[in-house]
Amino acid sequence: MNLLTIAWKSIRQRRLASSLTALSIGLGVMLMVLVLVIFGAVDSAFNQTSVGYDLIVGPKGSDLQLVLSAVYRMQPPIENLPYLFLEQMQKDPRVVSAVPLAFGDVTKEGSFPIVGTTTQYFENEYMPRRKFRIRGSRINGLFDTIIGSEVARENGWDLGSQFTIVHGGADSGHVHDEKFTVVAVLAPTGTANDRTVFLPLDGFYAIAGHGKPVKEIEKRLRDFYAADPERLAAALKQLEGVKAEEAAGSHDHHNHAHATPDAMKEISAILIKTDPDKPYLGVSLMSDLQTGYQAMAANPVRTIQRLMNGLIGNIQKALVALTAIIILVSGVGIFVSIYNSMSDRRREIGIMRALGAQRMHVFGIILAESALLCIGGGLLGWLTGHGIAVVASPWIVTQTGLLINPWALNVWEAVLFPVLVGLAVLVGFLPAMTAYRTNVADALSS
Amino acid sequence: MSLLLESIRKSYREPGGRRLPVLGIERFEMKQGEQVALLGSSGGGKTTLLNIISGILTPDSGRVVVDGRDVAAMQEVVRDHFRAAKIGIVFQTFNLLPAFTALENVLLGMSFSGKGVDKTFAKQLLERVGLGHRLNHSPQQMSVGEQQRVAVARSLANKPVLLLADEPTANVDPANQQLILDLIRDTCRDHNVTLLMVTHSLEVAGTFKRVEKLQDFNRPELCLQEKAA
Ligand SMILES: Nc1ncnc2c1ncn2[C@@H]1O[C@H](COP(=O)(O)OP(=O)(O)OP(=O)(O)O)[C@@H](O)[C@H]1O
Ligand SMILES: [Mg+2]
């Protein structure tokens, strides 16, 4: 029989204490694995491969808020940009593709964000090398919508479903009268698109209450184009017709959208693709915007990474530290359990030595015991953790849209097992030393 | 010659710092295959002597030659290994490890000599002591007498040249007593193993051809004389 077998027998001899201590280590490891898997999913949802655009252009303000609202649809928009600015971006030679987004409303049912955009949005890749797959027909009417897979699933909507929306976030409670129709459904993407309702930009403007008084628009345009009098003049010129109309008092809320000049329209953000071979173009565009207009461009990758490294990274670190403490405390449990058993086992150690076992043998047996408990418990917890991730991942995807890779290995896990071995040595050393030092003659006479 | 003790001195250090002389043996020898019953008063040093012969304890001075090699002069690891390979031991009680079955306890007796375990031989030994049908029973499931028979089987597991038994039947019921004694003596005879058995029972000792009283050849005071000299 080798030392490991002998160690295993004495672990089995103390079944209850052994399984409890191994279980506690396993629990710690399992929690750590789950924390890592979940944060791994959060990380990959927010990392660079998750956004198909290089820059997000929006009104001056917080770049984090801009990215969270434009890419992750987590925040209401702060301010808006003139629609005219989109045309300017589209004409910019540094821009390969510029797609407008207008948002702020949510569905009455399920509170999914409503985003006005153009067909370009669905032609572009939503992630590097990933294109939308769409089931249904093309958008024809103003209130035809394309819905994300989660919207369809949660609300039980499909092609032909009709619904209403609420203005400015679900809690404002102002329900619009317009009836919207689902004409297409997106295949799951694992992104915020799954939880979004898309409608054509013109449809968005046609929703009652989205137009602003011409006076206010004029003020906004003057602010925005303060440094660009040429464009300002062109924009203000467009407003003259509307002003005249308003003065004539023929204001018809429902029909004026068709006639609305572009200068009256606003968008919330512009998604920009630049030439991937010329990254410096994006940088120069960014700095131009910073100085010229009341706008800014945010690099979604860098913004989100800042968030990840800051808040979320720290939460992850704290949780990992917490699970590490659980593992450590479990290690102390194993220490106490083995150490307490040593006085009962003095005689057994004496017998083994009398049978010819060397000091190093009995030392090794005790160390092997703590190793079996630490590493065995750890392995069990590791498998359980990933097992839970496997079982729960479909549910998590449907609940949060987070794509879980249950077997994704984290660097932390790579150090986990060396750490467990270290813990086993640390925890087993003192009892093993007791075994090593056992006075055989005394132990046998006790 | 199987066992030779020469000029053995052994004293224990007592808590007060004084030394308690226990053994002072000028010469003691046993031939290969010989069986000796060792009598002696309680506290006389019998267990100490067996521990010195098996190398569990070292004498303060003197030679302990087993199978031609001086156990007392060996390094500890060598001594441990030598004990694993050449010497069998049976104690008075609690010989077995509770976590192991009868068979595993016997296999354990083969585990530290580096010769590898021989399961067939272990089973044969247990059959020999009449426990062939209880190989997988744990010590707790056996009577003291049965446990002692397993211990006898284990002490022979490594085909030792010398078997040391310290009152092996003192805690066993009379029926098992005779059985165990016969087992030890017969198997030792069959395998030409030298046997040194400590006993308190004159009745048991009476069945041996050679009986030694420790006090007849042990003069602990020799420890003190040499110290003074
Ligand atoms: N570790 C020790 N430290 C100090 N004194 C000891 C130690 N071990 C034994 N002694 C003493 O040495 C003497 C011999 O002890 P030993 O156990 O060898 O006697 P024994 O002949 O086997 O006795 P018994 O027949 O009762 O088993 C006793 O007086 C005992 O108290
Ligand atoms: Mg004794």
Side-chain angles (χ1 to χ4, degrees):
Chain A
M1 271 186 285
N2 59 33
L3 303 186
L4 219 59
T5 321
I6 295 172
W8 176 240
K9 301 267 181 219
S10 72
I11 284 176
R12 278 198 4 211
Q13 172 75 6
R14 294 174 298 116
R15 254 180 221 101
L16 187 68
S18 303
S19 44
L20 283 181
T21 49
L23 213 70
S24 62
I25 285 248
L27 203 73
V29 171
M30 184 196 84
L31 289 175
M32 183 179 277
V33 165
L34 286 178
V35 166
L36 292 175
V37 164
I38 289 168
F39 276 89
V42 171
D43 203 43
S44 71
F46 282 99
N47 81 8
Q48 40 200 337
T49 61
S50 65
V51 191
Y53 294 89
D54 305 304
L55 289 176
I56 317 284
V57 172
K60 261 202 169 58
S62 148
D63 55 351
L64 183 60
Q65 194 168 9
L66 176 63
V67 173
L68 285 180
S69 59
V71 180
Y72 297 98
R73 321 260 147 77
M74 286 176 174
Q75 299 256 332
I78 329 122
E79 261 298 321
N80 283 326
L81 293 170
Y83 179 85
L84 291 173
F85 197 58
L86 170 69
E87 290 172 349
Q88 187 181 333
M89 284 292 110
Q90 283 167 337
K91 281 184 198 129
D92 195 298
R94 295 168 293 194
V95 172
V96 174
S97 171
V99 182
L101 294 180
F103 41 80
D105 293 350
V106 297
T107 59
K108 184 167 172 261
E109 203 178 331
S111 296
F112 294 105
I114 309 279
V115 172
T117 185
T118 60
T119 50
Q120 179 86 55
Y121 186 82
F122 301 100
E123 286 154 16
N124 286 346
E125 294 171 337
Y126 64 89
M127 259 187 214
R129 288 178 304 285
R130 298 256 202 101
K131 289 206 147 196
F132 284 110
R133 285 177 294 128
I134 308 171
R135 177 174 62 85
S137 54
R138 298 194 122 256
I139 285 183
N140 271 321
L142 284 177
F143 295 155
D144 284 356
T145 61
I146 299 176
I147 62 173
S149 56
E150 268 311 294
V151 182
R153 196 193 60 83
E154 265 186 51
N155 283 358
W157 293 347
D158 203 353
L159 306 181
S161 297
Q162 293 212 322
F163 60 94
T164 53
I165 65 171
V166 181
H167 180 66
D171 9 301
S172 82
H174 176 73
V175 180
H176 288 272
D177 302 329
E178 295 87 353
K179 276 254 181 276
F180 297 84
T181 310
V182 176
V183 300
V185 180
L186 299 177
T189 63
T191 65
N193 293 307
D194 295 352
R195 307 181 58 80
T196 305
V197 171
F198 298 95
L199 83 168
L201 207 50
D202 285 335
F204 191 85
Y205 296 132
I207 297 170
H210 281 187
K212 286 201 176 72
V214 72
K215 274 228 179 66
E216 182 166 355
I217 292 286
E218 186 180 337
K219 184 178 167 294
R220 284 161 171 260
L221 285 172
R222 282 184 193 284
D223 278 352
F224 192 85
Y225 287 116
D228 193 346
E230 214 172 293
R231 285 206 170 78
L232 178 63
L236 292 179
K237 202 164 171 232
Q238 286 190 21
L239 293 184
E240 276 162 18
V242 187
K243 274 186 180 164
E245 207 175 297
E246 229 170 68
S250 67
H251 183 85
D252 184 332
H253 213 74
H254 277 265
N255 295 328
H256 86 280
H258 301 282
T260 308
D262 287 347
M264 283 295 288
K265 299 177 190 167
E266 289 188 324
I267 51 178
S268 307
I270 307 170
L271 305 176
I272 303 244
K273 272 185 199 282
T274 55
D275 189 341
D277 296 330
K278 297 171 184 160
Y280 51 89
L281 291 184
V283 177
S284 91
L285 184 65
M286 248 172 123
S287 66
D288 277 10
L289 290 182
Q290 224 70 44
T291 49
Y293 307 93
Q294 284 301 311
M296 67 171 183
N299 180 322
V301 174
R302 226 171 303 139
T303 307
I304 287 306
Q305 260 170 5
R306 222 179 51 223
L307 175 72
M308 289 302 297
N309 295 342
L311 184 66
I312 294 177
N314 283 336
I315 294 176
Q316 179 188 9
K317 277 193 201 106
L319 285 176
V320 167
L322 208 69
T323 56
I325 289 170
I326 294 177
I327 294 171
L328 216 69
V329 170
S330 312
V332 174
I334 288 188
F335 168 77
V336 170
S337 157
I338 296 181
Y339 199 80
N340 277 346
S341 75
M342 290 312 289
S343 58
D344 297 338
R345 289 158 66 182
R346 243 169 80 78
R347 172 95 193 168
E348 294 169 38
I349 289 164
I351 292 170
M352 282 198 271
R353 292 292 311 277
L355 292 175
Q358 296 163 15
R359 286 182 195 273
M360 277 319 285
H361 288 146
V362 291
F363 182 89
I365 288 167
I366 303 299
L367 213 58
E369 259 181 57
S370 103
L372 281 173
L373 291 176
C374 286
I375 298 165
L379 203 68
L380 212 76
W382 185 79
L383 287 171
T384 315
H386 281 291
I388 289 176
V390 168
V391 173
S393 65
W395 182 81
I396 291 175
V397 169
T398 58
Q399 289 301 306
T400 64
L402 278 183
L403 276 180
I404 298 260
N405 177 0
W407 292 105
L409 291 187
N410 192 288
V411 270
W412 289 83
E413 282 174 75
V415 299
L416 181 67
F417 282 92
V419 163
L420 283 178
V421 171
L423 186 71
V425 172
L426 200 73
V427 157
F429 183 78
L430 226 60
M433 234 19 234
T434 311
Y436 183 91
R437 290 215 193 93
T438 302
N439 181 322
V440 184
D442 285 358
L444 288 171
S445 65
S446 59
Chain B
M1 195 93 57
S2 178
L3 171 68
L4 169 65
L5 304 179
E6 259 182 359
S7 316
I8 298 296
R9 305 288 180 268
K10 178 68 181 177
S11 54
Y12 284 114
R13 193 184 296 276
E14 290 198 304
R18 293 212 334 263
R19 298 196 72 88
L20 173 74
V22 178
L23 295 177
I25 299 171
E26 282 310 329
R27 191 175 173 89
F28 180 87
E29 54 187 273
M30 288 175 73
K31 288 197 280 293
Q32 183 66 45
E34 196 178 7
Q35 303 196 343
V36 171
L38 183 63
L39 289 166
S41 53
S42 181
K46 302 180 296 296
T47 300
T48 304
L49 179 61
L50 292 195
N51 281 343
I52 283 176
I53 294 171
S54 67
I56 287 173
L57 285 176
T58 48
D60 302 336
S61 63
R63 285 181 3 113
V64 181
V65 182
V66 177
D67 203 30
R69 295 186 61 192
D70 185 357
V71 177
M74 291 173 182
Q75 290 216 308
E76 191 186 60
V77 281
V78 181
R79 209 162 55 227
D80 289 334
H81 192 262
F82 185 81
R83 177 165 64 250
K86 301 276 185 181
I87 300 173
I89 306 176
V90 182
F91 308 105
Q92 185 176 331
T93 47
F94 305 119
N95 272 293
L96 304 183
L97 274 79
F100 298 74
T101 64
L103 181 61
E104 286 165 350
N105 261 287
V106 176
L107 293 175
L108 198 68
M110 302 170 168
S111 295
F112 302 108
S113 65
K115 281 189 283 196
V117 297
D118 181 348
K119 220 171 185 167
T120 319
F121 184 55
K123 283 180 187 163
Q124 276 173 17
L125 284 170
L126 281 168
E127 270 158 28
R128 179 79 208 268
V129 301
L131 294 172
H133 58 298
R134 309 200 56 179
L135 299 177
N136 296 318
H137 287 222
S138 72
Q140 300 91 291
Q141 296 167 315
M142 289 187 268
S143 72
V144 177
E146 286 165 338
Q147 288 182 35
Q148 208 62 338
R149 277 145 68 186
V150 176
V152 170
R154 189 183 60 192
S155 67
L156 296 164
N158 266 336
K159 303 176 178 161
V161 296
L162 173 64
L163 187 75
L164 304 171
D166 198 348
E167 303 182 50
T169 58
N171 280 50
V172 176
D173 61 284
N176 261 309
Q177 234 169 50
Q178 196 54 48
L179 184 71
I180 289 164
L181 274 175
D182 289 347
L183 267 173
I184 294 177
R185 299 194 62 185
D186 291 350
T187 38
C188 281
R189 197 173 299 120
D190 293 352
H191 296 98
N192 197 30
V193 176
T194 311
L195 170 66
L196 179 58
M197 183 189 287
V198 169
T199 180
H200 272 133
S201 158
L202 291 174
E203 195 187 336
V204 169
T207 63
F208 281 73
K209 226 192 280 173
R210 181 178 163 196
V211 179
E212 297 280 356
K213 289 200 175 91
L214 182 59
Q215 52 266 44
D216 290 350
F217 60 93
N218 179 29
R219 295 193 291 130
E221 64 277 12
L222 289 175
C223 298
L224 299 173
Q225 283 174 12
E226 261 156 50
K227 226 164 184 197

Coordinates of all heavy atoms in Angstrom, one line a residue, chain A residues 336-387:
Chain A
V336 N -7.6 22.1 11.7 CA -8.2 21.8 13.1 C -8.6 20.3 13.1 O -8.3 19.6 14.0 CB -9.4 22.7 13.4 CG1 -10.1 22.2 14.6 CG2 -8.9 24.1 13.6
S337 N -9.2 19.8 12.0 CA -9.7 18.5 12.0 C -8.6 17.5 12.1 O -8.6 16.5 12.8 CB -10.5 18.3 10.7 OG -10.6 16.9 10.4
I338 N -7.5 17.7 11.2 CA -6.4 16.8 11.2 C -5.6 16.9 12.6 O -5.3 15.9 13.2 CB -5.5 17.0 10.0 CG1 -6.2 16.8 8.7 CG2 -4.2 16.1 10.1 CD1 -5.4 17.0 7.5
Y339 N -5.5 18.1 13.0 CA -4.6 18.3 14.2 C -5.3 17.7 15.4 O -4.6 17.0 16.2 CB -4.4 19.8 14.4 CG -3.3 20.1 15.4 CD1 -2.0 20.1 14.9 CD2 -3.5 20.3 16.7 CE1 -0.9 20.3 15.7 CE2 -2.4 20.6 17.6 CZ -1.1 20.6 17.0 OH -0.1 20.8 17.9
N340 N -6.6 17.8 15.5 CA -7.4 17.2 16.6 C -7.3 15.7 16.6 O -7.3 15.0 17.6 CB -8.8 17.6 16.6 CG -9.1 18.9 17.2 OD1 -8.2 19.4 17.9 ND2 -10.2 19.5 17.0
S341 N -7.2 15.1 15.4 CA -7.2 13.7 15.3 C -5.8 13.1 15.6 O -5.7 11.9 15.9 CB -7.5 13.2 13.8 OG -6.4 13.5 13.0
M342 N -4.8 14.0 15.7 CA -3.4 13.5 15.9 C -3.3 12.8 17.2 O -2.6 11.8 17.3 CB -2.4 14.6 15.8 CG -2.3 15.2 14.3 SD -2.0 13.9 13.1 CE -0.4 13.3 13.5
S343 N -3.9 13.3 18.3 CA -3.7 12.7 19.6 C -4.3 11.3 19.6 O -3.8 10.4 20.2 CB -4.3 13.6 20.7 OG -5.6 13.8 20.5
D344 N -5.4 11.1 18.9 CA -6.1 9.8 18.8 C -5.2 8.9 18.0 O -5.3 7.6 18.1 CB -7.4 9.9 18.1 CG -8.4 10.7 18.9 OD1 -8.2 10.9 20.1 OD2 -9.4 11.2 18.3
R345 N -4.4 9.4 17.1 CA -3.7 8.6 16.1 C -2.2 8.3 16.5 O -1.5 7.7 15.8 CB -3.8 9.2 14.8 CG -5.2 9.1 14.2 CD -5.4 10.1 13.2 NE -4.6 9.9 12.0 CZ -4.6 10.6 11.0 NH1 -5.4 11.7 10.9 NH2 -3.9 10.4 9.9
R346 N -1.9 8.8 17.7 CA -0.5 8.6 18.2 C -0.1 7.1 18.1 O 0.9 6.7 17.6 CB -0.4 9.1 19.6 CG 0.6 10.2 19.8 CD 0.5 10.7 21.2 NE 1.2 9.9 22.2 CZ 2.5 9.9 22.4 NH1 3.2 10.8 21.7 NH2 3.0 9.2 23.3
R347 N -1.1 6.3 18.7 CA -0.9 4.9 18.7 C -0.7 4.3 17.3 O 0.2 3.5 17.0 CB -2.1 4.2 19.4 CG -2.1 2.7 19.4 CD -1.5 2.1 20.6 NE -1.3 0.7 20.5 CZ -0.5 -0.1 21.3 NH1 0.0 0.5 22.3 NH2 -0.4 -1.3 21.0
E348 N -1.6 4.7 16.4 CA -1.5 4.2 15.0 C -0.2 4.6 14.4 O 0.4 3.7 13.6 CB -2.7 4.8 14.2 CG -4.0 4.4 14.6 CD -5.2 5.2 13.9 OE1 -5.0 5.5 12.8 OE2 -6.1 5.5 14.6
I349 N 0.2 5.8 14.6 CA 1.5 6.2 14.1 C 2.6 5.3 14.6 O 3.5 4.9 13.9 CB 1.8 7.7 14.3 CG1 0.8 8.5 13.4 CG2 3.2 8.1 14.0 CD1 0.7 9.9 13.9
G350 N 2.5 5.1 16.0 CA 3.5 4.2 16.6 C 3.5 2.8 16.0 O 4.6 2.3 15.7
I351 N 2.4 2.3 15.7 CA 2.3 0.9 15.1 C 2.9 1.0 13.7 O 3.7 0.1 13.4 CB 0.8 0.5 15.0 CG1 0.2 0.2 16.4 CG2 0.7 -0.8 14.1 CD1 -1.2 0.0 16.4
M352 N 2.6 2.0 12.9 CA 3.2 2.1 11.6 C 4.7 2.1 11.7 O 5.5 1.5 10.9 CB 2.6 3.2 10.8 CG 1.2 2.9 10.3 SD 0.7 4.0 9.0 CE 0.0 5.3 9.9
R353 N 5.2 2.9 12.6 CA 6.7 3.0 12.8 C 7.2 1.7 13.2 O 8.3 1.3 12.7 CB 7.1 4.1 13.8 CG 6.7 5.5 13.4 CD 7.6 6.0 12.3 NE 9.0 5.8 12.5 CZ 9.9 6.5 13.2 NH1 9.4 7.6 13.8 NH2 11.1 6.2 13.3
A354 N 6.5 1.0 14.1 CA 7.0 -0.3 14.5 C 7.0 -1.3 13.3 O 7.8 -2.2 13.3 CB 6.1 -0.9 15.6
L355 N 6.1 -1.1 12.4 CA 6.1 -2.0 11.2 C 7.2 -1.5 10.2 O 7.3 -2.1 9.1 CB 4.7 -1.9 10.5 CG 3.6 -2.5 11.3 CD1 2.3 -2.3 10.5 CD2 3.8 -4.0 11.5
G356 N 7.9 -0.5 10.6 CA 9.1 -0.2 9.7 C 8.9 1.1 9.0 O 9.7 1.5 8.1
A357 N 7.8 1.9 9.2 CA 7.6 3.1 8.5 C 8.6 4.1 9.0 O 8.9 4.2 10.2 CB 6.2 3.7 8.8
Q358 N 9.2 4.9 8.1 CA 10.1 5.9 8.5 C 9.4 7.2 8.9 O 8.2 7.4 8.6 CB 11.1 6.2 7.4 CG 12.0 5.0 7.0 CD 12.6 5.1 5.7 OE1 12.7 6.2 5.1 NE2 13.1 4.0 5.2
R359 N 10.1 8.1 9.6 CA 9.5 9.4 9.9 C 8.9 10.1 8.7 O 7.8 10.6 8.8 CB 10.6 10.3 10.5 CG 11.0 9.9 11.9 CD 12.0 10.9 12.5 NE 12.7 10.4 13.6 CZ 12.2 10.6 14.9 NH1 11.1 11.2 15.1 NH2 12.9 10.1 15.9
M360 N 9.7 10.0 7.6 CA 9.2 10.7 6.4 C 7.9 10.0 5.9 O 7.1 10.7 5.3 CB 10.2 10.7 5.3 CG 11.2 11.8 5.4 SD 10.5 13.4 5.9 CE 9.8 13.9 4.3
H361 N 7.7 8.7 6.1 CA 6.5 8.0 5.7 C 5.3 8.6 6.4 O 4.3 9.0 5.8 CB 6.6 6.5 5.9 CG 7.6 5.8 5.0 ND1 8.3 4.8 5.4 CD2 7.9 6.1 3.7 CE1 9.1 4.4 4.4 NE2 8.8 5.1 3.3
V362 N 5.4 8.6 7.8 CA 4.2 9.1 8.5 C 4.0 10.6 8.3 O 2.8 11.0 8.2 CB 4.3 8.8 10.0 CG1 4.3 7.3 10.3 CG2 5.6 9.4 10.6
F363 N 5.1 11.3 8.1 CA 4.9 12.7 7.7 C 4.2 12.8 6.4 O 3.2 13.6 6.2 CB 6.3 13.4 7.5 CG 6.3 14.8 7.2 CD1 6.3 15.8 8.2 CD2 6.4 15.2 5.9 CE1 6.3 17.1 7.9 CE2 6.4 16.6 5.5 CZ 6.4 17.5 6.5
G364 N 4.6 12.0 5.4 CA 3.9 12.0 4.1 C 2.5 11.6 4.2 O 1.7 12.2 3.4
I365 N 2.2 10.7 5.0 CA 0.8 10.2 5.1 C -0.1 11.3 5.6 O -1.2 11.6 5.0 CB 0.7 9.0 6.1 CG1 1.3 7.8 5.4 CG2 -0.8 8.7 6.4 CD1 1.5 6.6 6.4
I366 N 0.3 12.1 6.6 CA -0.5 13.2 7.1 C -0.6 14.3 6.0 O -1.7 14.8 5.8 CB 0.1 13.7 8.4 CG1 0.2 12.7 9.4 CG2 -0.8 14.9 8.9 CD1 -1.1 12.0 9.8
L367 N 0.5 14.6 5.4 CA 0.5 15.6 4.3 C -0.4 15.2 3.2 O -1.2 16.0 2.6 CB 1.9 15.8 3.8 CG 2.2 17.3 3.4 CD1 2.0 18.2 4.6 CD2 3.6 17.4 2.9
A368 N -0.4 13.9 2.8 CA -1.2 13.4 1.8 C -2.7 13.5 2.2 O -3.5 13.8 1.3 CB -0.9 11.9 1.5
E369 N -3.0 13.3 3.4 CA -4.4 13.5 3.9 C -4.8 14.9 3.7 O -5.9 15.1 3.1 CB -4.4 13.2 5.4 CG -5.0 11.8 5.7 CD -5.1 11.6 7.2 OE1 -5.7 12.4 7.9 OE2 -4.4 10.7 7.7
S370 N -4.0 15.9 4.1 CA -4.5 17.3 3.9 C -4.5 17.6 2.4 O -5.4 18.4 2.0 CB -3.6 18.2 4.7 OG -2.7 18.9 3.9
A371 N -3.6 17.0 1.6 CA -3.6 17.3 0.2 C -4.9 16.7 -0.4 O -5.6 17.3 -1.3 CB -2.4 16.7 -0.5
L372 N -5.3 15.5 0.0 CA -6.5 14.8 -0.6 C -7.7 15.7 -0.3 O -8.6 15.9 -1.1 CB -6.6 13.4 0.0 CG -5.7 12.4 -0.7 CD1 -5.9 11.0 0.1 CD2 -6.1 12.2 -2.2
L373 N -7.8 16.2 1.0 CA -8.9 16.9 1.4 C -9.0 18.3 0.7 O -10.0 18.7 0.1 CB -8.9 17.2 2.9 CG -9.2 15.9 3.8 CD1 -9.0 16.2 5.2 CD2 -10.5 15.3 3.5
C374 N -7.8 19.0 0.6 CA -7.8 20.3 0.0 C -8.0 20.2 -1.5 O -8.9 20.8 -2.1 CB -6.5 21.0 0.2 SG -6.3 21.6 1.9
I375 N -7.3 19.3 -2.2 CA -7.3 19.2 -3.6 C -8.5 18.5 -4.1 O -9.2 18.9 -5.0 CB -6.0 18.6 -4.2 CG1 -4.8 19.5 -3.8 CG2 -6.1 18.5 -5.7 CD1 -3.5 18.9 -3.9
G376 N -8.9 17.4 -3.4 CA -10.1 16.7 -3.7 C -11.3 17.5 -3.5 O -12.2 17.6 -4.4
G377 N -11.4 18.2 -2.4 CA -12.5 19.1 -2.2 C -12.6 20.2 -3.2 O -13.6 20.6 -3.7
G378 N -11.4 20.8 -3.5 CA -11.3 21.8 -4.5 C -11.7 21.4 -5.9 O -12.5 22.1 -6.5
L379 N -11.3 20.2 -6.2 CA -11.6 19.6 -7.5 C -13.1 19.4 -7.6 O -13.8 19.8 -8.7 CB -10.9 18.3 -7.8 CG -10.7 17.9 -9.2 CD1 -9.7 18.8 -9.9 CD2 -10.2 16.4 -9.3
L380 N -13.7 18.9 -6.6 CA -15.1 18.7 -6.5 C -15.9 20.0 -6.7 O -16.8 20.1 -7.5 CB -15.5 18.1 -5.2 CG -16.7 17.1 -5.2 CD1 -16.2 15.8 -5.8 CD2 -17.2 16.9 -3.7
G381 N -15.4 21.0 -6.0 CA -16.0 22.3 -6.0 C -15.9 22.9 -7.4 O -16.8 23.6 -7.9
W382 N -14.7 22.7 -8.0 CA -14.4 23.3 -9.3 C -15.4 22.7 -10.4 O -16.0 23.4 -11.2 CB -13.0 23.0 -9.7 CG -12.5 23.6 -11.0 CD1 -12.1 24.9 -11.1 CD2 -12.4 22.9 -12.2 NE1 -11.8 25.0 -12.4 CE2 -11.9 23.9 -13.1 CE3 -12.6 21.6 -12.6 CZ2 -11.7 23.6 -14.5 CZ3 -12.4 21.3 -14.0 CH2 -11.9 22.3 -14.9
L383 N -15.5 21.3 -10.3 CA -16.4 20.6 -11.2 C -17.9 21.1 -11.0 O -18.6 21.3 -11.9 CB -16.3 19.1 -11.1 CG -15.0 18.5 -11.6 CD1 -14.9 17.1 -11.3 CD2 -15.0 18.7 -13.2
T384 N -18.3 21.2 -9.7 CA -19.6 21.6 -9.4 C -19.9 23.0 -9.9 O -20.9 23.3 -10.5 CB -19.9 21.6 -7.8 OG1 -19.3 20.4 -7.3 CG2 -21.3 21.6 -7.5
G385 N -18.9 23.9 -9.7 CA -19.1 25.3 -10.1 C -19.3 25.3 -11.6 O -20.3 26.0 -12.1
H386 N -18.5 24.6 -12.4 CA -18.6 24.7 -13.8 C -19.9 23.9 -14.2 O -20.5 24.3 -15.2 CB -17.4 24.1 -14.5 CG -16.2 25.1 -14.5 ND1 -16.3 26.2 -15.3 CD2 -15.1 25.1 -13.9 CE1 -15.1 26.9 -15.1 NE2 -14.4 26.2 -14.3
G387 N -20.2 22.9 -13.5 CA -21.4 22.1 -13.7 C -22.7 23.0 -13.6 O -23.5 23.0 -14.4

